[in-house]
Amino acid sequence: MAAVIGILVVLVGILVSIALHEVGHMVPAKKFGVRVSHYFVGFGPTLWSRTKGETEYGLKAIPLGGYVRLVGMYPPAPAGKKQSDGFFGRMVQDAREMSAEEILPGQEPRAFYNLSVPKKIVVMFGGPFMNLVIAFVLMTVVLVGIGSPQATTTVATVPACVTPASAPADYECTASDPATPASLAGIEPGDTIVSFDGEPVTSWESLVGKITGAAGQTVPVVVERDGERVSLEITPTEVDRPVVGDDGQYVTDDEGEPVLKPAGYVGVAPTQERVSEPLSAVPQAIWAQVSGTAAVIVELPAKLVDVVQSTFGGEERDPASVMGPVGVGRIAVDVVGADSVDVVDRVAVMLSLLASLNIALFAFNLIPLPPLDGGHIAGALYEGAKRQVAKVRGRPRPAHADVAKLVPLGLAMWVVLLGMGVLLIYADIVNPIRIT
């Protein structure tokens, strides 16, 4: 049942994101007078449709995309210019003719290609911008509404012994393992550490910093227990611990092994409490995801090669690898079905996954290649640049940019995107990424 819920949540979230993405194109297009003949979510056979005004709205069988048809996407062929008779030339000419056939008599000014450059950019950017808005709303709910787990100064557990740095999580103490300084000092689960070495403890991070620099020193520590303050003495022992970078990840050497350094250790683990973050944390989180997604897009060819090698070579899939909707659904299933994850954490993870999906849609659609939105934006910018150059040089206003010439490139991109989608779906099925 949990698996079904996880898949349904992801599927509905993807469908809503796609639907709103297309709304982001449709609303400004209609506002600027462009006739929008179709608004559909999905591809393939039509399951349901209804015509309202001049637009047919509907739902198709394959929920892997959507589209709005803006009438007059391509301008007529430049006057007096000879058209190519080759395969690609005919493809370009067919695209122009189909675009022209959709324009009703007397409604030529309503064709998309007749919009000003700024309006074209607004229409084409509207879809990705809607995904960015969705991600912002979802991350606001997660960070501000639900909050994020943070370590407190209250002790959750006190390990019985000092474990080796390489010990697994289920390591059991042996007679040769020394007792932890915390257990020797009498610190108990539920104690709240008030001060360490005479200095007040305001956060778990500040306590860790004080312990790290106190290896081998006997220092006073005050804890609050059952409403009373208890004074104790503790001697942190020196152990080798992994170095954590500013990004919260372990620092590794050239061989991929964690870098270790001596540090003070007492043997206490903190409790966690959910803390609501300020609204200012949302743009920071969004920017971190956008920049991270952009970096993944830049490295996408190499990452796809890794997916192929791991999937067909029997290797373990890199957790940082790219994944498709099936992979996201499997992660959702893992989260929903995990007994160790409470309901609030499950909701937070699911919403975070959907936010990440929308960030991916935002960034990916801005790649300046057709048929992606970024390709149309690039065409509009090129048209605007041509006009500005002509204006500066005192020349006549040039005709619309002949973006129909990009149709063959758009078709090639569709083939690439389809192949990439099939590869990721297959990899997500036979060699999935799991987080639990």
Side-chain angles (χ1 to χ4, degrees):
M1 185 62 182
V4 174
I5 293 175
I7 293 174
L8 287 177
V9 168
V10 171
L11 181 59
V12 171
I14 291 175
L15 285 176
V16 171
S17 299
I18 292 171
L20 292 178
H21 174 99
E22 301 306 334
V23 167
H25 291 308
M26 181 178 66
V27 171
K30 288 194 170 189
K31 181 70 175 178
F32 297 146
V34 176
R35 186 167 72 89
V36 180
S37 60
H38 295 80
Y39 170 93
F40 274 84
V41 177
F43 293 108
T46 299
L47 300 179
W48 169 88
S49 71
R50 176 175 297 176
T51 300
K52 184 177 181 181
E54 58 186 13
T55 305
E56 181 183 3
Y57 301 86
L59 182 66
K60 291 183 176 289
I62 305 173
L64 294 178
Y67 67 95
V68 288
R69 183 170 295 169
L70 310 179
V71 170
M73 286 295 294
Y74 303 120
K81 191 170 183 179
K82 183 178 180 180
Q83 304 303 308
S84 173
D85 293 329
F87 174 76
F88 293 118
R90 290 195 299 272
M91 184 184 299
V92 171
Q93 186 58 30
D94 288 345
R96 292 194 186 109
E97 292 175 357
M98 290 179 61
S99 177
E101 289 173 358
E102 292 182 329
I103 303 174
L104 299 178
Q107 292 194 2
E108 288 79 6
R110 298 187 61 191
F112 175 81
Y113 69 80
N114 277 320
L115 290 180
S116 66
V117 169
K119 289 181 178 180
K120 287 180 180 178
I121 293 175
V122 169
V123 171
M124 300 318 301
F125 184 69
F129 179 73
M130 185 65 77
N131 293 123
L132 190 63
V133 171
I134 296 171
F136 189 92
V137 171
L138 292 175
M139 291 305 297
T140 299
V141 173
V142 172
L143 298 179
V144 181
I146 298 176
S148 57
Q150 296 184 12
T152 72
T153 56
T154 300
V155 177
T157 59
V158 180
C161 66
V162 179
T163 59
S166 59
D170 57 352
Y171 180 83
E172 295 184 4
C173 296
T174 66
S176 61
D177 293 324
T180 59
S183 62
L184 293 174
I187 295 178
E188 301 176 359
D191 288 350
T192 298
I193 301 177
V194 178
S195 68
F196 186 90
D197 198 14
E199 297 181 5
V201 174
T202 58
S203 67
W204 175 254
E205 289 74 16
S206 68
L207 175 61
V208 171
K210 292 178 174 62
I211 294 173
T212 299
Q217 304 175 30
T218 300
V219 298
V221 60
V222 177
V223 302
E224 185 173 303
R225 181 183 300 163
D226 298 329
E228 298 182 357
R229 296 199 170 187
V230 180
S231 297
L232 305 169
E233 285 189 341
I234 193 168
T235 306
T237 187
E238 185 177 275
V239 297
D240 288 333
R241 284 292 181 249
V243 178
V244 180
D246 295 335
D247 58 356
Q249 303 296 319
Y250 288 136
V251 177
T252 58
D253 57 22
D254 295 338
E255 297 180 355
E257 297 296 327
V259 176
L260 305 178
K261 75 171 185 179
Y265 173 80
V266 298
V268 291
T271 58
Q272 302 280 332
E273 68 177 8
R274 196 169 290 279
V275 178
S276 178
E277 298 192 32
L279 188 61
S280 59
V282 178
Q284 297 174 7
I286 293 293
W287 172 247
Q289 290 198 43
V290 169
S291 57
T293 303
V296 170
I297 291 174
V298 171
E299 301 172 356
L300 187 58
K303 287 187 175 293
L304 289 176
V305 171
D306 292 339
V307 171
V308 171
Q309 291 176 343
S310 61
T311 302
F312 297 98
E315 302 174 7
E316 184 176 351
R317 188 99 169 264
D318 183 358
S321 174
V322 291
M323 69 178 75
V326 174
V328 175
R330 295 194 72 149
I331 288 180
V333 170
D334 290 344
V335 171
V336 173
D339 295 334
S340 60
V341 181
D342 62 30
V343 174
V344 176
D345 284 331
R346 294 178 187 181
V347 172
V349 171
M350 297 291 283
L351 294 179
S352 297
L353 280 174
L354 291 175
S356 297
L357 273 173
N358 277 276
I359 291 293
L361 288 171
F362 167 77
F364 194 77
N365 270 286
L366 290 182
I367 296 175
L369 291 172
L372 301 173
D373 298 329
H376 294 287
I377 293 173
L381 291 173
Y382 172 70
E383 181 174 289
K386 280 180 50 178
R387 291 176 178 175
Q388 289 300 316
V389 170
K391 183 177 180 181
V392 170
R393 294 182 176 181
R395 295 179 177 178
R397 181 185 176 91
H400 298 288
D402 192 10
V403 292
K405 287 184 176 181
L406 299 177
V407 169
L409 177 59
L411 179 61
M413 279 296 298
W414 268 118
V415 173
V416 171
L417 294 174
L418 179 62
M420 184 177 70
V422 171
L423 169 64
L424 292 178
I425 289 174
Y426 179 77
D428 289 341
I429 293 174
V430 304
N431 190 17
I433 297 174
R434 296 188 181 275
I435 61 173
T436 58

